[in-house]
Amino acid sequence: MDLTEILVAAVLAAVFAVLAFGPLRASTAWRAMLTPLASIIGSGFLVSVPLVSGRVGLWAVPAMAALAGIAWLIGGAIRYNIRHGEARCAEAPRGHHIPSIETLSHLVLTGAYFISVAYYLVLLGSFLAKLAGISDPRFAALVATALVAGIALTGVTRGLKGVERAERFTVSANLAAIAALLAALGLFAARLPGGYGWSDPGAAPEFDWDTLRFLMGLLIVVQGFETTRFMGSLYDGATRERAMKRAQALSSAVYLVFFALMIPLYPFFPEGADVAGVIEVIGRVSPILPFVVAFGAIASQFSAAVADSLGASGLISDTTHGHVTPRHAYIAIGTVAVSVIWATDVNALVALASRAFALFYALQCLVAMLIAREQGEKRRAAWHGALSALCLGVAVLGIPAG
């Protein structure tokens, strides 16, 4: 066992122990932050590097920084809605335009959750296929279909609370795997002879209209911060705002460090690398890394799919005022998710999910604009209106990676 393997094993065990069994378990601030953090990182941590670096080479780092920056600004609008919008919507008379737009955004988010369940599980199938050396894309779709059926059946018959309880361990496993990956990449970079790899960045940058639209289609990789908006039954507004900020700040730092440490490996991504391409490439750092990272990612994708299934079922029940129960909602979730799985490929799913969440963000920014205007905050209203237009542009213009 060489130094890299020892480092990976040590970091993996230490971080998992701290997160799953350490004192953080009792911290309200950490628990509130865990769901959005896990959702953001689970949305596209491994997916993003092969897609972005294959398109823009060394410019992948600033491109990722731009995506994280846009997500932070959108998060600001949603935090404003936590602070001012929830009470405003509760107090507004029936038929008022602000709560009506808020309800519409919930319906859009429900549809986004349907798509994201398919996205997470197809990614899970893609990682399994990569580990098993299976190149047939139908394998990932079959795995995803079986898992959707299992989740829907469990939801209809028993609810998903039992599966949900395992989230602390799956999230801890994924974050521990990421910490081990970053530690191994740091050691790999320190050992590189003759420079860090900046002289051979891989693909030549392409900056054109299609590149911009492609980057718009990757908003899903920084999605997940909005989950705190719907955790009001667990935490007060101030706690949720802080949780969102901390989750976005930490996940953005993790993404940017990862992208920077991966620079020496950019040239090894084949042209048109698939979303699971990073599994093969990190094998150059250590032969055990692909298994550590893939199993962490598989656990993360499954828990994220369960979380979004729970979120979608709750939103369906709320928006139908209980006429459709959460358990019956799983039938609709399973039907739509399976249809999406077989109607698209994984690259198209990335863009489709991004566009669905972008539409939700556009509506949330519109709500923030209207509330700010009512409160006489003209500059804030203009700013939130501009963000709403930007998100609408992403929803309309985002395209798949290939």
Side-chain angles (χ1 to χ4, degrees), residues 112-245:
Y113 278 151
F114 285 177
I115 299 168
S116 66
V117 169
Y119 162 69
Y120 288 134
L121 294 178
V122 169
L123 277 186
L124 188 157
S126 297
F127 288 129
L128 280 176
K130 187 65 69 174
L131 283 179
I134 299 172
S135 58
D136 189 340
R138 290 175 296 181
F139 176 81
L142 286 170
V143 169
T145 300
L147 290 172
V148 167
I151 289 172
L153 182 62
T154 303
V156 170
T157 58
R158 299 182 180 180
L160 291 176
K161 292 301 179 183
V163 180
E164 186 187 22
R165 293 189 192 103
E167 184 180 26
R168 172 163 58 94
F169 295 100
T170 58
V171 170
S172 297
N174 188 43
L175 294 177
I178 288 170
L181 170 62
L182 296 180
L185 288 172
L187 180 60
F188 176 75
R191 287 173 158 182
L192 279 177
Y196 180 55
W198 296 87
S199 60
D200 185 9
E206 298 177 10
F207 291 105
D208 53 24
W209 177 237
D210 283 344
T211 300
L212 181 59
R213 293 183 66 197
F214 154 76
L215 292 173
M216 288 180 179
L218 287 178
L219 186 64
I220 183 69
V221 304
V222 288
Q223 167 272 328
F225 53 89
E226 77 287 337
T227 53
T228 59
R229 175 72 173 79
F230 304 101
M231 295 166 65
S233 61
L234 299 174
Y235 308 105
D236 60 36
T239 299
R240 285 181 285 145
E241 285 187 62
R242 286 194 300 270
M244 186 192 297
K245 284 183 178 179

Side-chain angles (χ1 to χ4, degrees), residues 28-121:
T28 299
W30 173 251
R31 289 199 306 270
M33 174 182 166
L34 192 60
T35 296
L37 177 63
S39 187
I40 296 167
I41 291 180
S43 294
F45 181 73
L46 296 177
V47 170
S48 52
V49 164
L51 294 180
V52 181
S53 67
R55 189 67 175 250
V56 297
L58 269 180
W59 288 95
V61 179
M64 190 65 231
L67 280 172
I70 291 170
W72 178 269
L73 296 176
I74 297 168
I78 296 180
R79 290 190 291 273
Y80 184 82
N81 287 344
I82 291 175
R83 197 178 318 123
H84 300 287
E86 291 175 348
R88 181 71 185 85
C89 288
E91 295 167 358
R94 189 172 182 178
H96 192 276
H97 57 284
I98 291 180
S100 297
I101 296 171
E102 177 73 17
T103 299
L104 178 60
S105 77
H106 291 185
L107 292 173
V108 170
L109 182 60
T110 301
Y113 278 151
F114 285 177
I115 299 168
S116 66
V117 169
Y119 162 69
Y120 288 134
L121 294 178

